[in-house]
């Protein structure tokens, strides 16, 4: 059974703090790892699609790294802002199916 | 604008009734998916379809049914056999090839009274 785990489950940080969360996934049969951002009352939106071991991708203040050999990915947010408050999901595409983690709920306090 | 629409946003159902949730996409995606979210849990796959007129059960298909008669539409019926249907339902689509990002609709919150 494939399992994708995220930690922490929730996180409160002050505006301006940097933060990071973890996604753990099966290291065998790796194809890709997705990060999604899900704001309240909106649809989840893809942040990153990561495919290569050692990949590092960046979008503004948000970046992600990938280690396929040990089966984890980190998402970093530098200088958190209130608008970064959201649930961050990772997903592991299997054959025709995507397995999602439970998400990390981030709240940035002004 | 291309995207995925789901309707209705909120739905109330009496016990014992079937109800159908709509999902439409104009992204020309072959693959479509239905997920369910419950508090404290990740998105769980109900059904998926890789191509028109074909669909497969996901991890929690019992009490649900789907159809895929058109590429752009993938309605989900929650039947009276679903023991605990109150949840948030998300529809998604993607280019069919494995590993492509998914695009999500805004969701439908179903409450059974």
């Amino acid at each position: 059974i494939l399992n994708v785990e995220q930690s922490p489950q929730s996180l409160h940080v002050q505006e301006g703090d940097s933060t990071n969360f973890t996604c753990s996934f099966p290291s065998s049969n790796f194809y890709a790892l997705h990060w999604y951002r899900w704001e309240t009352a909106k649809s989840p939106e893809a942040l990153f699609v990561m495919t290569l071991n050692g990949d590092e991708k960046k979008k503004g203040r948000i970046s992600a790294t990938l280690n396929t050999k040990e089966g984890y990915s980190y998402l970093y947010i530098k200088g958190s802002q209130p608008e970064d408050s959201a649930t961050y999901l990772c997903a592991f595409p299997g054959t025709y199916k995507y397995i999602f983690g439970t998400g990390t709920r981030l709240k940035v306090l002004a | 604008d291309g995207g995925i629409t789901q309707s209705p946003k909120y739905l109330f159902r009496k016990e014992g009734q079937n109800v159908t949730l709509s999902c439409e996409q104009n992204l020309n995606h072959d693959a479509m998916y239905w997920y369910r979210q419950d508090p404290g849990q990740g998105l769980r796959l109900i059904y998926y379809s890789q191509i028109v007129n074909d669909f497969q059960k996901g991890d929690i298909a019992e009490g649900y049914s789907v159809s895929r008669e058109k590429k752009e539409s993938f309605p989900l019926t929650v039947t009276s056999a679903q023991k605990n249907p109150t949840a948030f339902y998300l529809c998604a689509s993607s280019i069919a090839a494995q590993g492509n990002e998914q695009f999500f609709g805004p969701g439908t919150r179903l409450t059974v009274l």
Side-chain angles (χ1 to χ4, degrees), chain A residues 40-90:
Chain A
T40 302
K42 294 186 179 180
S43 310
E45 289 186 341
L47 278 173
F48 303 114
V49 175
M50 310 187 75
T51 55
L52 297 175
N53 185 41
D55 243 359
E56 182 169 346
K57 296 207 173 181
K58 189 174 180 180
K59 188 179 287 188
R61 294 179 289 98
I62 304 177
S63 60
T65 61
L66 179 68
N67 183 323
T68 60
K69 294 182 180 177
E70 296 182 36
Y72 65 82
S73 175
Y74 293 140
L75 189 80
Y76 300 91
I77 302 179
K78 184 177 178 182
S80 303
Q81 299 296 308
E83 58 264 31
D84 295 327
S85 297
T87 296
Y88 292 84
L89 295 171
C90 67

Side-chain angles (χ1 to χ4, degrees), chain A residues 31 34 36 43 46 94 96-98, chain B residues 59 98-102 105-106:
Chain A
Y31 190 85
H34 297 183
Y36 292 85
S43 310
Y96 304 122
K97 293 166 62 172
Y98 294 73
Chain B
D59 301 316
Q98 184 184 8
N100 285 290
E101 69 180 273
Q102 296 197 313

Side-chain angles (χ1 to χ4, degrees), chain A residues 3-7 20-28 30 33 35 50 52-55 64-76 90 92:
Chain A
N3 200 30
V4 175
E5 296 183 354
Q6 291 188 247
S7 63
N20 65 86
F21 358 111
T22 306
C23 173
S24 301
F25 53 86
S27 55
S28 59
F30 178 84
L33 191 282
W35 280 102
M50 310 187 75
L52 297 175
N53 185 41
D55 243 359
T65 61
L66 179 68
N67 183 323
T68 60
K69 294 182 180 177
E70 296 182 36
Y72 65 82
S73 175
Y74 293 140
L75 189 80
Y76 300 91
C90 67
F92 182 79

